[in-house]
């Protein structure tokens, strides 16, 4: 980590490293991690910087504000308690060299409880506005550890390195079961109703992908970069990515809906066969 010295605006990494050093000095803080690379941080307009902070107890707002204030004019703006509780913990915001930077505080106890519930299969589907519980496991599996006083994040990464058989079976059964309900898709096909078809198809694709990821013992992160993941999977329907794109393409006009549904049905059948084997 950066340990001091002259810092200027437009030196994002040094600003972030100084921030991490300051946060790590808080007695409540056990571990700090960042999603994405700690070396190649995004520039303005390329994405956010997400910093995850795990504590015995979440520091009071005035303490967190004091940490940010130490950066003085190196940041453009900041706000404390932008959100509090829920899936993303207690969140503070900073603008660093034009990059939205989020400091998300969680307690170690609540985090461990949540992860164990996810691995136990208690949350087989997305929640509140497309939050995927398995995405939290994916994040931990790939998180870059910046500070780990008691090896909390290190132990958690090790815990998640082996995809649980119990979770795999629960997710496959749940999502393939949802794919059996094709009533809305068939109704949209018979009516050649493109908007309704895509509504039903989006729900179906969501279940298909979550089942496919479970078959391949991979925590489903989100709908981002789906095709990149599929290309790396060893267990998948033949020409899986190509067929998925064809399903979407053909379903975008009335005359193609029938073909789209036929390709879709074959994809689902293939995935069911693979899951059984």
């Amino acid at each position: 980590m950066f340990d001091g010295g002259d810092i200027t605006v437009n030196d994002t990494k040094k600003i972030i490293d100084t921030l991490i050093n300051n946060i790590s000095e808080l007695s409540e803080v056990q571990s700090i991690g960042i999603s994405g690379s700690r070396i190649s941080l995004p520039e303005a307009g390329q994405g956010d910087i997400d910093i995850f902070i795990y504590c015995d107890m979440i520091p009071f707002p005035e303490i967190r504000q004091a940490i940010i204030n130490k950066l003085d004019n190196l940041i453009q703006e900041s706000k404390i308690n932008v959100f509090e509780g829920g899936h993303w913990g207690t969140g503070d915001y900073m603008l660093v060299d034009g990059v939205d930077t989020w400091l998300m505080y969680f307690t170690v106890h609540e985090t461990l409880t949540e992860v164990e519930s996810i691995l136990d299969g208690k949350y087989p589907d997305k929640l509140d506005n497309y939050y995927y519980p398995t995405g939290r496991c994916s994040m931990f599996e790939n998180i870059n550890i910046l500070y780990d006083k008691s090896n909390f994040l290190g132990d958690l990464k090790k815990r998640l390195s082996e995809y649980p058989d119990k979770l795999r079976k629960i997710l496959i059964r749940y999502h393939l079961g949802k794919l059996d309900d094709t009533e809305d898709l068939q109704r949209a096909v018979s009516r050649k109703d493109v908007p309704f078809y895509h509504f039903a198809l989006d729900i179906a694709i969501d279940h298909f992908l979550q089942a496919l990821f479970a078959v391949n013992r991979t925590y489903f992160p989100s709908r981002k970069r789906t095709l990149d993941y599929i290309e790396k999977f060893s267990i998948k329907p033949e020409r899986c990515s190509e067929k998925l794109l064809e399903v979407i393409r053909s379903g975008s006009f009335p005359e193609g809906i029938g073909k789209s549904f036929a390709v879709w049905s074959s994809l689902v059948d293939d995935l069911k066969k693979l899951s059984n084997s």
Side-chain angles (χ1 to χ4, degrees):
M1 274 185 218
F2 182 72
D3 59 2
D6 294 332
I7 313 174
T8 62
V9 177
N10 299 324
D11 199 344
T12 307
K13 184 178 183 304
K14 288 185 178 180
I15 295 172
I16 295 299
D17 282 349
T18 300
L19 172 67
I20 298 303
N21 277 338
N22 293 339
I23 295 174
S24 69
E25 292 175 356
L26 298 177
S27 61
E28 304 95 328
V29 173
Q30 291 292 327
S31 303
I32 306 172
I34 188 171
S35 61
S37 171
R38 62 176 292 186
I39 298 174
S40 179
L41 296 172
E43 298 180 2
Q46 292 183 343
D48 298 349
I49 298 173
D50 294 330
I51 300 171
F52 298 85
I53 305 157
Y54 299 93
C55 317
D56 297 323
M57 61 176 289
I58 296 174
F60 293 119
E62 56 268 24
I63 295 176
R64 305 197 319 265
Q65 182 69 70
I67 289 292
I68 291 176
N69 288 347
K70 288 183 178 181
L71 297 176
D72 197 19
N73 61 353
L74 293 175
I75 61 175
Q76 290 79 65
E77 60 180 277
S78 67
K79 188 174 181 181
I80 298 295
N81 270 6
V82 177
F83 48 83
E84 189 170 6
H87 303 307
W88 302 107
T90 297
D92 300 336
Y93 168 81
M94 302 187 311
L95 189 64
V96 181
D97 291 339
V99 180
D100 292 330
T101 301
W102 298 94
L103 306 176
M104 291 171 280
Y105 291 82
F106 304 82
T107 68
V108 168
H109 174 73
E110 289 177 342
T111 300
L112 289 175
T113 299
E114 179 190 30
V115 169
E116 290 304 323
S117 295
I118 295 169
L119 296 181
D120 210 33
K122 293 181 179 178
Y123 303 104
D125 208 348
K126 61 182 178 295
L127 305 171
D128 316 321
N129 193 27
Y130 279 79
Y131 167 77
Y132 295 92
T134 53
R136 183 56 48 89
C137 295
S138 176
M139 184 273 289
F140 280 124
E141 189 180 32
N142 297 288
I143 197 169
N144 282 294
I145 301 173
L146 306 181
Y147 173 76
D148 208 12
K149 181 167 62 177
S150 58
N151 206 38
F152 165 69
L153 285 177
D155 288 342
L156 194 51
K157 283 172 73 76
K158 184 177 179 180
R159 169 81 172 86
L160 293 166
S161 62
E162 185 172 340
Y163 195 101
D165 284 334
K166 178 181 178 180
L167 177 63
R168 183 176 185 265
K169 292 175 182 177
I170 289 173
L171 294 183
I172 290 172
R173 181 170 62 249
Y174 176 87
H175 291 290
L176 290 185
K178 292 292 185 180
L179 288 173
D180 286 337
D181 182 5
T182 60
E183 182 179 348
D184 283 346
L185 284 169
Q186 292 186 46
R187 187 181 298 138
V189 171
S190 65
R191 297 174 180 174
K192 295 186 177 181
D193 186 336
V194 172
F196 183 44
Y197 181 72
H198 272 270
F199 163 75
L201 182 62
D202 181 69
I203 296 173
I205 287 176
D206 211 59
H207 290 301
F208 178 90
L209 291 175
Q210 292 192 72
L212 178 63
F213 274 64
V215 167
N216 285 274
R217 300 181 184 277
T218 302
Y219 301 109
F220 186 71
S222 70
R223 294 282 288 268
K224 298 176 183 176
R225 298 180 292 276
T226 299
L227 297 182
D228 293 339
Y229 277 97
I230 292 176
E231 288 307 307
K232 297 175 183 177
F233 287 160
S234 59
I235 307 173
K236 58 189 174 185
E238 185 177 356
R239 296 170 46 236
C240 185
S241 295
E242 181 182 339
K243 288 181 179 179
L244 269 176
L245 293 177
E246 179 58 36
V247 167
I248 296 169
R249 183 166 47 246
S250 296
S252 64
F253 57 99
E255 294 75 16
I257 285 182
K259 177 183 178 182
S260 173
F261 184 63
V263 176
W264 171 251
S265 298
S266 71
L267 264 178
V268 172
D269 288 343
D270 289 346
L271 181 59
K272 288 180 178 179
K273 293 174 185 176
L274 290 169
S275 67
N276 289 329
S277 62

Short mmCIF file of all heavy atoms in Angstrom, two decimals, residues 213-232:
data_model
loop_
_atom_site.label_atom_id
_atom_site.label_comp_id
_atom_site.label_asym_id
_atom_site.label_seq_id
_atom_site.Cartn_x
_atom_site.Cartn_y
_atom_site.Cartn_z
N PHE A 213 -25.08 -22.00 -14.85
CA PHE A 213 -23.95 -21.68 -13.97
C PHE A 213 -23.83 -22.72 -12.86
O PHE A 213 -22.72 -23.14 -12.52
CB PHE A 213 -24.12 -20.28 -13.38
CG PHE A 213 -23.58 -19.18 -14.25
CD1 PHE A 213 -24.13 -18.90 -15.48
CD2 PHE A 213 -22.51 -18.40 -13.81
CE1 PHE A 213 -23.63 -17.89 -16.29
CE2 PHE A 213 -22.01 -17.38 -14.59
CZ PHE A 213 -22.57 -17.12 -15.84
N ALA A 214 -24.97 -23.14 -12.30
CA ALA A 214 -24.94 -24.14 -11.24
C ALA A 214 -24.40 -25.47 -11.76
O ALA A 214 -23.61 -26.15 -11.09
CB ALA A 214 -26.33 -24.32 -10.64
N VAL A 215 -24.82 -25.86 -12.95
CA VAL A 215 -24.31 -27.09 -13.56
C VAL A 215 -22.80 -27.05 -13.65
O VAL A 215 -22.11 -28.06 -13.43
CB VAL A 215 -24.94 -27.30 -14.96
CG1 VAL A 215 -24.19 -28.37 -15.74
CG2 VAL A 215 -26.41 -27.68 -14.84
N ASN A 216 -22.26 -25.87 -13.94
CA ASN A 216 -20.81 -25.71 -14.08
C ASN A 216 -20.12 -25.28 -12.79
O ASN A 216 -18.96 -24.83 -12.81
CB ASN A 216 -20.52 -24.69 -15.18
CG ASN A 216 -20.74 -25.25 -16.57
OD1 ASN A 216 -19.84 -25.87 -17.13
ND2 ASN A 216 -21.93 -25.06 -17.12
N ARG A 217 -20.83 -25.41 -11.66
CA ARG A 217 -20.28 -25.10 -10.35
C ARG A 217 -19.64 -23.71 -10.31
O ARG A 217 -18.51 -23.51 -9.84
CB ARG A 217 -19.24 -26.15 -9.95
CG ARG A 217 -19.81 -27.57 -9.87
CD ARG A 217 -18.75 -28.58 -9.46
NE ARG A 217 -19.29 -29.95 -9.48
CZ ARG A 217 -20.00 -30.51 -8.50
NH1 ARG A 217 -20.24 -29.80 -7.41
NH2 ARG A 217 -20.45 -31.74 -8.61
N THR A 218 -20.40 -22.74 -10.81
CA THR A 218 -19.94 -21.35 -10.84
C THR A 218 -21.00 -20.47 -10.21
O THR A 218 -22.17 -20.53 -10.59
CB THR A 218 -19.69 -20.89 -12.29
OG1 THR A 218 -18.72 -21.75 -12.90
CG2 THR A 218 -19.18 -19.46 -12.33
N TYR A 219 -20.61 -19.64 -9.25
CA TYR A 219 -21.56 -18.73 -8.61
C TYR A 219 -22.03 -17.71 -9.64
O TYR A 219 -21.22 -17.01 -10.26
CB TYR A 219 -20.91 -18.01 -7.43
CG TYR A 219 -20.40 -18.93 -6.36
CD1 TYR A 219 -19.03 -19.11 -6.16
CD2 TYR A 219 -21.28 -19.64 -5.53
CE1 TYR A 219 -18.55 -19.95 -5.17
CE2 TYR A 219 -20.80 -20.49 -4.55
CZ TYR A 219 -19.44 -20.65 -4.37
OH TYR A 219 -18.96 -21.50 -3.41
N PHE A 220 -23.35 -17.62 -9.82
CA PHE A 220 -23.89 -16.69 -10.82
C PHE A 220 -23.70 -15.26 -10.32
O PHE A 220 -24.25 -14.88 -9.29
CB PHE A 220 -25.37 -16.98 -11.06
CG PHE A 220 -25.96 -16.18 -12.18
CD1 PHE A 220 -25.63 -16.44 -13.48
CD2 PHE A 220 -26.85 -15.14 -11.91
CE1 PHE A 220 -26.18 -15.70 -14.53
CE2 PHE A 220 -27.40 -14.39 -12.94
CZ PHE A 220 -27.06 -14.67 -14.25
N PRO A 221 -22.92 -14.43 -11.02
CA PRO A 221 -22.61 -13.09 -10.52
C PRO A 221 -23.68 -12.05 -10.83
O PRO A 221 -24.10 -11.29 -9.96
CB PRO A 221 -21.30 -12.75 -11.24
CG PRO A 221 -21.36 -13.54 -12.52
CD PRO A 221 -22.20 -14.76 -12.25
N SER A 222 -24.11 -12.00 -12.08
CA SER A 222 -25.11 -11.05 -12.56
C SER A 222 -25.31 -11.34 -14.03
O SER A 222 -24.77 -12.32 -14.57
CB SER A 222 -24.63 -9.60 -12.37
OG SER A 222 -23.57 -9.31 -13.27
N ARG A 223 -26.06 -10.49 -14.71
CA ARG A 223 -26.26 -10.70 -16.14
C ARG A 223 -25.14 -10.08 -17.00
O ARG A 223 -25.21 -10.14 -18.23
CB ARG A 223 -27.62 -10.12 -16.55
CG ARG A 223 -28.83 -10.83 -15.93
CD ARG A 223 -29.15 -12.13 -16.63
NE ARG A 223 -29.73 -11.91 -17.93
CZ ARG A 223 -31.05 -11.83 -18.17
NH1 ARG A 223 -31.90 -11.97 -17.18
NH2 ARG A 223 -31.50 -11.63 -19.38
N LYS A 224 -24.15 -9.50 -16.37
CA LYS A 224 -23.05 -8.89 -17.12
C LYS A 224 -22.09 -9.95 -17.63
O LYS A 224 -21.82 -10.94 -16.95
CB LYS A 224 -22.28 -7.90 -16.23
CG LYS A 224 -23.10 -6.73 -15.73
CD LYS A 224 -22.28 -5.87 -14.79
CE LYS A 224 -23.10 -4.72 -14.22
NZ LYS A 224 -22.31 -3.93 -13.23
N ARG A 225 -21.56 -9.74 -18.82
CA ARG A 225 -20.51 -10.59 -19.41
C ARG A 225 -20.90 -12.07 -19.45
O ARG A 225 -20.07 -12.96 -19.31
CB ARG A 225 -19.18 -10.41 -18.66
CG ARG A 225 -18.63 -9.00 -18.73
CD ARG A 225 -17.33 -8.87 -17.98
NE ARG A 225 -17.52 -9.01 -16.54
CZ ARG A 225 -17.89 -8.02 -15.73
NH1 ARG A 225 -18.13 -6.83 -16.24
NH2 ARG A 225 -18.03 -8.23 -14.44
N THR A 226 -22.19 -12.32 -19.66
CA THR A 226 -22.70 -13.69 -19.65
C THR A 226 -22.03 -14.56 -20.70
O THR A 226 -21.61 -15.70 -20.44
CB THR A 226 -24.22 -13.69 -19.90
OG1 THR A 226 -24.86 -12.97 -18.84
CG2 THR A 226 -24.77 -15.10 -19.91
N LEU A 227 -21.90 -14.05 -21.92
CA LEU A 227 -21.33 -14.86 -23.00
C LEU A 227 -19.87 -15.21 -22.74
O LEU A 227 -19.41 -16.28 -23.13
CB LEU A 227 -21.48 -14.12 -24.34
CG LEU A 227 -22.92 -13.86 -24.80
CD1 LEU A 227 -22.92 -13.16 -26.16
CD2 LEU A 227 -23.73 -15.14 -24.86
N ASP A 228 -19.14 -14.31 -22.07
CA ASP A 228 -17.75 -14.62 -21.73
C ASP A 228 -17.67 -15.82 -20.81
O ASP A 228 -16.79 -16.68 -20.96
CB ASP A 228 -17.09 -13.40 -21.06
CG ASP A 228 -16.93 -12.23 -22.01
OD1 ASP A 228 -16.94 -12.46 -23.23
OD2 ASP A 228 -16.80 -11.09 -21.53
N TYR A 229 -18.57 -15.87 -19.84
CA TYR A 229 -18.60 -17.02 -18.93
C TYR A 229 -18.95 -18.30 -19.69
O TYR A 229 -18.31 -19.34 -19.50
CB TYR A 229 -19.64 -16.80 -17.83
CG TYR A 229 -19.16 -15.97 -16.66
CD1 TYR A 229 -19.45 -14.61 -16.59
CD2 TYR A 229 -18.45 -16.55 -15.62
CE1 TYR A 229 -19.03 -13.84 -15.51
CE2 TYR A 229 -18.03 -15.80 -14.53
CZ TYR A 229 -18.32 -14.44 -14.48
OH TYR A 229 -17.90 -13.69 -13.42
N ILE A 230 -19.98 -18.21 -20.53
CA ILE A 230 -20.45 -19.41 -21.23
C ILE A 230 -19.34 -20.00 -22.08
O ILE A 230 -19.19 -21.23 -22.17
CB ILE A 230 -21.69 -19.08 -22.08
CG1 ILE A 230 -22.88 -18.76 -21.17
CG2 ILE A 230 -22.05 -20.25 -23.00
CD1 ILE A 230 -24.13 -18.33 -21.91
N GLU A 231 -18.55 -19.15 -22.72
CA GLU A 231 -17.48 -19.65 -23.58
C GLU A 231 -16.48 -20.49 -22.80
O GLU A 231 -15.84 -21.40 -23.35
CB GLU A 231 -16.77 -18.48 -24.27
CG GLU A 231 -17.60 -17.80 -25.35
CD GLU A 231 -18.12 -18.78 -26.39
OE1 GLU A 231 -17.30 -19.55 -26.95
OE2 GLU A 231 -19.34 -18.81 -26.63
N LYS A 232 -16.33 -20.23 -21.50
CA LYS A 232 -15.36 -20.95 -20.68
C LYS A 232 -15.95 -22.22 -20.06
O LYS A 232 -15.20 -23.04 -19.52
CB LYS A 232 -14.84 -20.03 -19.57
CG LYS A 232 -14.09 -18.81 -20.09
CD LYS A 232 -13.70 -17.89 -18.95
CE LYS A 232 -13.02 -16.62 -19.46
NZ LYS A 232 -12.71 -15.68 -18.36
#
